[in-house]
Amino acid sequence: MQPDEPQLVEDSQQGNLSAFNTIVERYQSQVYNVAARILGDRFLAEDVAQETFISAHRAIKGFRGGSLKAWLLRIASNQSYDTIRSKKRRPADSLEESMENPNFSVPSSEPGPEQMALQSELQEKIQQAISSLPTDQRAVLVFIDVQGLSYDETAEAVGTSIGTVKSRLSRARARVRDALMEHRELLPDQFRQV
Amino acid sequence: MPGLFRQTDDDRQQELLSSYIDGELTDDEVREVEELLGSSDDARQELAGLKMSVALIGQLPELALPRSFKLDVLPEQQKSPWWSSLWATGLVTSMATMLLVALVAGDMLNVLTQTRAAAIESVDSATTQQAASSAAFASAESAEAPLAPPLAAQAAAFEESVDSAAALDEPAAAPPVAANQISRTREAAADINPAAASPLAAVAGDLAVVSTSADEEPAKSETAADAPSTGPQLRTLSAPATEGTLVQEDDPDVPVPAPLAAPAGAPGIASIAAASSDAQAPEDATTDVTTKAIEESPVSAGASVEALALPAPAADSTQSADDQVPLTTGGEGSDAGALAIASAPALDDDDGVGAASLTNPNVPMPATASIETQNIAPTPIDENISADEGIELPLRQLEIGAAIVVLLFATGSILVTRRRRSSVA
């Protein structure tokens, strides 16, 4: 937690919208990326991110300290789960279709169109592998390997113990590895021999 | 089972290797992993694959924000109803649960008892039924008593008519077959319904006198039957006839008993009335008085039905009322002997028994029969009721109400908790 965060939280709890928006500004990128990686859809992630901060503002008075980042990411992951469940009930827009959206991958800065294409395709495959994971494993993998959270922060964000985090993380990594091994041609040279 | 353990070991090994990548192992675990890596190619390959996953996932680019998510205006605070508040629903659920537990415990320990009012109400209803049946029986008995004198008077009048007929050498009225029938029905009633037979005994006894005297002159019955009916008219009782009066039988050779039909719901009992004719004034007066006395007798319909709804002696149930031999009267000029039994309105045949039950003893009596023999057992009072123990409460009602409240608010608490958990960290 950053030094000024306790004050920002207190001011937000007093109803100071400016203080809360400072918090939003600080964490909105992480919230959006977590939602996008969990959902595999940038458009849905936009709605989830907005809902996350609205819910956070309503519940800020109930924040009792700890990692503000973990608290916000937990709201984001819960909102993402709700969206996944609602999409399953109404499969009009398939999540798989959104994952194949070329807008999901960011163009690489490296030269060469072929390289760019391969990289883009690899990122798509990685995202597909992440999206194929169970939601509990998916969140842990995104928090730790995508967002760089620690085991403690991840345990706080998902509301479980560190042992559970370790277990889910190891399984998620193994499944992504198995999925990527089916597309060795896309892997970098150093990983093709694994 | 060995496979299961092997799977668990593989999972543990995988977990150790994954945590080893992130440096999240204790010193002992690090030594364990390093020993494993030094001795197992599979472990090393596994570690390599996990490292690849971590590296590739970590290389995923950070997505650019499509827009700012700052809040421009404060989102409207949704006013949730008080019952959606988690603490409110939890509080109510807890209170209702405690109340339910207290009620059940009190009931089991006899500290609380079902209120007497509810129990006594059921007993009273049963008692009322029994009292009603007893009253009906008593009224039936009292109704029969007034009948006896009028019947006795009729019997006496009949004797006089017989004597007068004999003196005038005129065909006497047909023998009082109805009286015979009454005696026989009395016997049949005694077999079937001893209690019902007793009130009729007084009536039958009197008529038996008439019967006895009539038996002495059987010839007169035949001749009387043949003679045109100028005297008092008799019509056979027939249910469900609205007027069950004994009619003079045209064929005396077939002495079919005339049942004493007394339809249910009748306002009056089978009253003995004399049909008007050119009878002598004294006999008419006697008859009329007798008729009035009988008709005015306050006999309840129910009792009358039960007292007189006796099956006739074994007879062909297909026989019509016309085949029934009526009670005889005196001959012409002997109106005093005219006997007619007028019964109440038609028997209600809802139970499908109807007239058949009155003519065919093989058909079971309607369920409404023999009120005086009904023995309505009172609803037993709850054994737990005691005036001396327990706090009286509408216990059952409270228990049911508390259980419903617990169920409703427990469900509400679960729903509120789920909603809160999904929207807030």
Side-chain angles (χ1 to χ4, degrees):
Chain A
M1 200 173 201
Q2 297 188 16
D4 61 340
E5 276 188 3
Q7 188 60 45
L8 288 173
V9 170
E10 185 178 344
D11 292 342
S12 298
Q13 290 173 339
Q14 301 289 335
N16 189 333
L17 185 58
S18 177
F20 184 79
N21 281 332
T22 304
I23 296 174
V24 172
E25 205 172 13
R26 193 169 293 181
Y27 294 107
Q28 60 184 350
S29 179
Q30 277 185 305
V31 167
Y32 173 72
N33 275 270
V34 163
R37 296 300 178 186
I38 291 176
L39 292 169
D41 187 322
R42 299 182 68 173
F43 303 107
L44 290 176
E46 192 174 336
D47 296 336
V48 167
Q50 188 66 74
E51 283 296 325
T52 296
F53 289 113
I54 292 174
S55 298
H57 184 270
R58 289 183 182 143
I60 191 68
K61 291 183 179 179
F63 181 73
R64 295 289 179 261
S67 173
L68 184 60
K69 180 170 72 175
W71 185 71
L72 290 171
L73 293 179
R74 184 172 184 180
I75 298 174
S77 61
N78 288 337
Q79 292 283 353
S80 301
Y81 297 156
D82 291 344
T83 302
I84 291 172
R85 279 192 290 268
S86 66
K87 292 294 275 186
K88 284 182 179 178
R89 285 193 294 268
R90 291 170 295 168
D93 300 324
S94 170
L95 277 175
E96 294 181 358
E97 291 177 0
S98 62
M99 285 192 299
E100 295 172 358
N101 189 337
N103 293 329
F104 198 83
S105 60
V106 177
S108 172
S109 58
E110 294 184 11
E114 184 178 347
Q115 202 69 19
M116 289 172 57
L118 286 175
Q119 194 173 18
S120 177
E121 192 173 351
L122 177 60
Q123 291 171 358
E124 291 286 340
K125 294 300 180 186
I126 295 171
Q127 181 58 53
Q128 289 179 15
I130 294 173
S131 297
S132 66
L133 295 172
T135 52
D136 55 347
Q137 295 179 15
R138 194 186 312 176
V140 171
L141 184 74
V142 169
F143 286 152
I144 295 177
D145 289 345
V146 177
Q147 295 298 318
L149 270 67
S150 67
Y151 281 28
D152 293 334
E153 288 179 321
T154 301
E156 187 178 349
V158 300
T160 59
S161 64
I162 292 178
T164 304
V165 169
K166 289 181 178 179
S167 174
R168 291 178 182 175
L169 180 63
S170 64
R171 292 201 208 114
R173 286 172 173 173
R175 292 179 70 155
V176 170
R177 176 204 60 199
D178 296 339
L180 293 178
M181 292 306 289
E182 296 179 2
H183 305 279
R184 285 177 184 265
E185 66 282 2
L186 300 175
L187 297 176
D189 295 337
Q190 65 270 29
F191 296 127
R192 291 186 185 180
Q193 307 303 322
V194 174
Chain B
M1 297 301 285
L4 180 61
F5 291 123
R6 192 180 309 117
Q7 183 69 22
T8 304
D9 290 340
D10 289 342
D11 289 341
R12 184 175 180 277
Q13 177 179 319
Q14 189 177 78
E15 188 177 316
L16 287 174
L17 295 174
S18 174
S19 301
Y20 180 74
I21 297 173
D22 300 321
E24 293 283 345
L25 293 178
T26 63
D27 295 338
D28 293 337
E29 290 172 335
V30 170
R31 277 195 292 274
E32 181 183 350
V33 168
E34 288 176 350
E35 284 182 16
L36 180 63
L37 292 173
S39 61
S40 170
D41 288 339
D42 291 340
R44 286 192 293 272
Q45 196 167 6
E46 179 79 14
L47 181 62
L50 292 174
K51 283 184 175 179
M52 179 192 73
S53 295
V54 174
L56 291 175
I57 293 171
Q59 290 177 4
L60 287 174
E62 182 174 344
L63 301 174
L65 282 173
R67 62 179 176 85
S68 173
F69 296 104
K70 288 182 180 180
L71 302 180
D72 295 331
V73 293
L74 284 174
E76 292 181 3
Q77 295 289 340
Q78 293 180 353
K79 287 188 177 180
S80 57
W82 67 269
W83 50 263
S84 69
S85 168
L86 190 59
W87 74 266
T89 54
L91 179 63
V92 175
T93 304
S94 302
M95 292 174 63
T97 303
M98 287 191 290
L99 175 63
L100 180 61
V101 170
L103 290 172
V104 173
D107 192 7
M108 294 174 64
L109 298 174
N110 288 330
V111 175
L112 301 174
T113 57
Q114 179 67 25
T115 180
R116 289 184 66 85
I120 292 175
E121 185 178 348
S122 63
V123 174
D124 286 345
S125 63
T127 307
T128 303
Q129 290 180 14
Q130 199 173 19
S133 63
S134 301
F137 178 69
S139 60
E141 285 185 327
S142 63
E144 292 300 331
L147 274 178
L151 287 174
Q154 287 294 322
F158 176 71
E159 288 183 3
E160 291 178 2
S161 70
V162 171
D163 294 339
S164 61
L168 296 175
D169 194 20
E170 288 180 353
V177 179
N180 290 333
Q181 296 166 3
I182 292 174
S183 63
R184 279 182 287 204
T185 55
R186 185 191 76 174
E187 293 172 357
D191 294 337
I192 296 175
N193 194 346
S198 58
L200 189 61
V203 177
D206 294 321
L207 293 179
V209 175
V210 178
S211 170
T212 303
S213 60
D215 287 339
E216 296 173 356
E217 299 178 355
K220 297 179 183 176
S221 64
E222 295 181 4
T223 55
D226 293 335
S229 175
T230 57
Q233 299 294 323
L234 297 176
R235 282 180 286 174
T236 56
L237 284 172
S238 64
T242 55
E243 288 185 20
T245 56
L246 290 176
V247 299
Q248 187 165 3
E249 177 55 49
D250 293 332
D251 185 4
D253 294 329
V254 185
V256 177
L260 296 174
I269 196 177
S271 60
I272 300 178
S276 63
S277 65
D278 298 332
Q280 297 177 6
E283 288 79 10
D284 283 340
T286 304
T287 304
D288 291 340
V289 169
T290 303
T291 303
K292 289 180 182 176
I294 295 173
E295 288 178 343
E296 292 174 359
S297 62
V299 178
S300 66
S304 67
V305 171
E306 305 320 322
L308 299 179
L310 300 171
D316 186 357
S317 60
T318 60
Q319 289 177 341
S320 64
D322 292 336
D323 297 332
Q324 298 168 357
V325 179
L327 281 172
T328 59
T329 67
E332 182 175 317
S334 58
D335 299 312
L339 293 176
I341 299 179
S343 69
L347 177 67
D348 184 5
D349 198 5
D350 288 342
D351 54 8
V353 178
S357 66
L358 302 174
T359 58
N360 186 354
N362 295 326
V363 177
M365 295 296 291
T368 55
S370 65
I371 292 178
E372 60 275 13
T373 60
Q374 274 184 337
N375 185 19
I376 301 173
T379 304
I381 302 176
D382 189 349
E383 294 179 355
N384 293 330
I385 295 295
S386 170
D388 299 329
E389 63 177 76
I391 303 171
E392 296 181 353
L393 292 173
L395 199 55
R396 302 291 172 263
Q397 293 84 338
L398 285 176
E399 287 177 350
I400 293 172
I404 293 173
V405 170
V406 169
L407 184 64
L408 287 175
F409 280 92
T411 305
S413 298
I414 293 171
L415 293 176
V416 170
T417 303
R418 280 189 176 179
R419 190 170 64 178
R420 293 285 179 87
R421 195 173 291 172
S422 65
S423 62
V424 180

